[in-house]
Amino acid sequence: MSAAPVTWFVIINPTSGNGLSRKKWPNIKALLEKYEFNFQFEFTRYPKHSTELLHQALIQNIKHFICVGGDGTLHNMVNAIMTQNLIPTAEIKVGVIPIGTGNDWVKTHNIPKDFESCIQIIKNGQLKTQDVGEIVIRNNSNKPIFFINLAGIGFDGFVVSKVHKFKHLGAIAYLYGTIISLFRFKNFKAKVASKSETISGKTLMILIGLCQYSGGGMQLTESANPFDGLLDISVAKNLRKLEIVSNLPKLFNGNVTRHHKVKTFKTEGLTVEIDQMKEPLIQADGELVGSGSFEVIIIPKAFSFYT
């Protein structure tokens, strides 16, 4: 007796890639049919709708998902996986067809942008299971937020708040956001503490990395590895605007971590205390998630995906 065919649930964010997801969906659907996927699909209609769709599918005992969208869509799906208790998180399997502004998470895992290649990867069924970061913001009712790529507070959060105006430009939107933020962002007072490190003082940004790329291809942490059970931390201290401008190319080739005002280390957990009234913004996977003091820990081997 042959096993029942796997049912896949495809979640499409029609606004991803400046509307490219909706435009390309007929092509993607035809390819899924060509490769004989047994699938259901839904378009997201409002923010975090993907979280609701995934939870509803899990209730129907569907454990295989395909994300058609950008880093933000995937971020919401990961949060849906991590906030349910029906199925162990690593048993939920996700394939990704990247159509977004930055498409940063897929770069670490060498997942291509070509739709058919992505579908072939998912069909071949080779899985990896990576670590997940968990943030608890003090002023957010202790509700956890999960991320799989990179989170941060300060300048990078401020940049994310500006990028939405330029998303039609693709990955270069982050460069525009960075340049605009140079003239408006003010460094903040913070204390960063782990088991082995304590850093206090004026700060440009604090970055917590799992994967290698963020912000449209920037490399802001030194040795990110999503499989090693450790968070990769970069604390950019009180850099002045001229220092940031002169180091812009180093944001993309990873050499910014070698700057004498950037401290890097690895840890399983971190506490960030903000010591001022105006609280800087926090981003996770390129999504604004709050502001102020927070704790972050790592959850090893919690997210399974096709690669």
Side-chain angles (χ1 to χ4, degrees), residues 150-153 155-157 205-209 214 219-221 231-236 251 256-257 262-263 265 270 283:
L150 178 136
I153 184 169
F155 184 70
D156 63 317
M205 57 184 170
I206 301 157
L207 302 159
I208 304 119
S214 63
Q219 299 181 60
L220 302 175
T221 58
L231 302 164
D232 197 25
I233 311 299
S234 291
V235 180
L251 296 176
V256 70
T257 60
V262 177
K263 173 72 175 177
F265 59 96
L270 192 74
Q283 64 84 15

Side-chain angles (χ1 to χ4, degrees), residues 8 21 24 43 53 70 109 129 144 198 201-202 214-215 229 261 266 282 294 303 306:
W8 295 80
S21 285
K24 295 295 184 181
F43 289 93
L53 291 171
H109 299 296
T129 305
T198 301
K202 276 289 191 80
S214 63
K261 288 187 179 180
K266 289 236 182 191
I282 303 166
F294 64 91
F303 175 62
Y306 293 93

Side-chain angles (χ1 to χ4, degrees), residues 261-298:
K261 288 187 179 180
V262 177
K263 173 72 175 177
T264 64
F265 59 96
K266 289 236 182 191
T267 183
E268 294 175 349
L270 192 74
T271 299
V272 175
E273 302 271 0
I274 303 303
D275 186 22
Q276 62 180 46
M277 289 292 291
K278 186 172 175 58
E279 296 179 332
L281 296 169
I282 303 166
Q283 64 84 15
D285 296 336
E287 298 291 300
L288 290 176
V289 296
S291 62
S293 302
F294 64 91
E295 289 87 36
V296 58
I297 60 170
I298 196 157

Side-chain angles (χ1 to χ4, degrees), residues 33-62:
E33 291 166 348
K34 173 185 172 181
Y35 286 94
E36 300 181 337
F37 279 78
N38 175 39
F39 66 97
Q40 304 170 23
F41 68 92
E42 289 279 354
F43 289 93
T44 59
R45 297 192 298 274
Y46 44 85
K48 298 186 179 177
H49 187 202
S50 54
T51 301
E52 296 174 23
L53 291 171
L54 192 144
H55 282 169
Q56 290 164 9
L58 290 177
I59 291 168
Q60 299 172 47
N61 204 34
I62 296 172

Side-chain angles (χ1 to χ4, degrees), residues 77-120:
M77 288 178 65
V78 167
N79 276 268
I81 291 167
M82 299 301 296
T83 53
Q84 57 79 40
N85 53 20
L86 292 172
I87 299 168
T89 63
E91 292 181 13
I92 299 167
K93 299 159 185 175
V94 179
V96 179
I97 299 174
I99 307 177
T101 304
N103 296 319
D104 283 305
W105 177 82
V106 297
K107 293 182 179 78
T108 292
H109 299 296
N110 296 312
I111 295 171
K113 291 183 180 180
D114 176 72
F115 302 151
E116 187 159 11
S117 297
C118 289
I119 290 166
Q120 288 172 339

Side-chain angles (χ1 to χ4, degrees), residues 57-286:
L58 290 177
I59 291 168
Q60 299 172 47
N61 204 34
I62 296 172
K63 301 178 185 179
H64 295 75
F65 295 86
I66 296 175
C67 171
V68 181
D71 293 318
T73 310
L74 184 58
H75 170 81
N76 287 333
M77 288 178 65
V78 167
N79 276 268
I81 291 167
M82 299 301 296
T83 53
Q84 57 79 40
N85 53 20
L86 292 172
I87 299 168
T89 63
E91 292 181 13
I92 299 167
K93 299 159 185 175
V94 179
V96 179
I97 299 174
I99 307 177
T101 304
N103 296 319
D104 283 305
W105 177 82
V106 297
K107 293 182 179 78
T108 292
H109 299 296
N110 296 312
I111 295 171
K113 291 183 180 180
D114 176 72
F115 302 151
E116 187 159 11
S117 297
C118 289
I119 290 166
Q120 288 172 339
I121 284 169
I122 298 166
K123 187 71 174 179
N124 288 339
Q126 293 192 354
L127 282 167
K128 288 184 179 177
T129 305
Q130 75 154 74
D131 305 330
V132 173
E134 177 183 339
I135 299 170
V136 175
I137 303 172
R138 298 268 176 87
N139 60 11
N140 195 27
S141 305
N142 292 327
K143 180 182 176 184
I145 298 153
F146 301 92
F147 65 97
I148 55 168
N149 191 37
L150 178 136
I153 184 169
F155 184 70
D156 63 317
F158 195 81
V159 170
V160 168
S161 74
K162 304 301 175 190
V163 162
H164 68 279
K165 297 177 183 177
F166 307 104
K167 283 206 167 184
H168 62 283
L169 299 173
I172 201 171
Y174 289 94
L175 184 58
Y176 276 97
T178 299
I179 293 166
I180 285 172
S181 298
L182 279 173
F183 301 100
R184 299 183 185 175
F185 182 76
K186 292 182 179 179
N187 292 358
F188 59 101
K189 294 179 183 177
K191 177 182 176 183
V192 179
S194 70
K195 284 182 181 178
S196 60
E197 301 282 346
T198 301
I199 302 166
S200 298
K202 276 289 191 80
T203 308
L204 174 72
M205 57 184 170
I206 301 157
L207 302 159
I208 304 119
L210 291 170
C211 292
Q212 189 173 355
Y213 302 96
S214 63
M218 295 182 189
Q219 299 181 60
L220 302 175
T221 58
E222 187 175 36
S223 52
N225 180 345
F227 306 107
D228 68 357
L230 294 169
L231 302 164
D232 197 25
I233 311 299
S234 291
V235 180
K237 299 177 186 178
N238 196 23
L239 274 78
R240 299 187 304 273
K241 288 179 172 58
L242 189 59
E243 289 177 301
I244 301 168
V245 171
S246 63
N247 284 280
L248 273 179
K250 294 180 180 179
L251 296 176
F252 289 91
N253 62 22
N255 287 335
V256 70
T257 60
R258 299 176 188 173
H259 193 280
H260 70 281
K261 288 187 179 180
V262 177
K263 173 72 175 177
T264 64
F265 59 96
K266 289 236 182 191
T267 183
E268 294 175 349
L270 192 74
T271 299
V272 175
E273 302 271 0
I274 303 303
D275 186 22
Q276 62 180 46
M277 289 292 291
K278 186 172 175 58
E279 296 179 332
L281 296 169
I282 303 166
Q283 64 84 15
D285 296 336

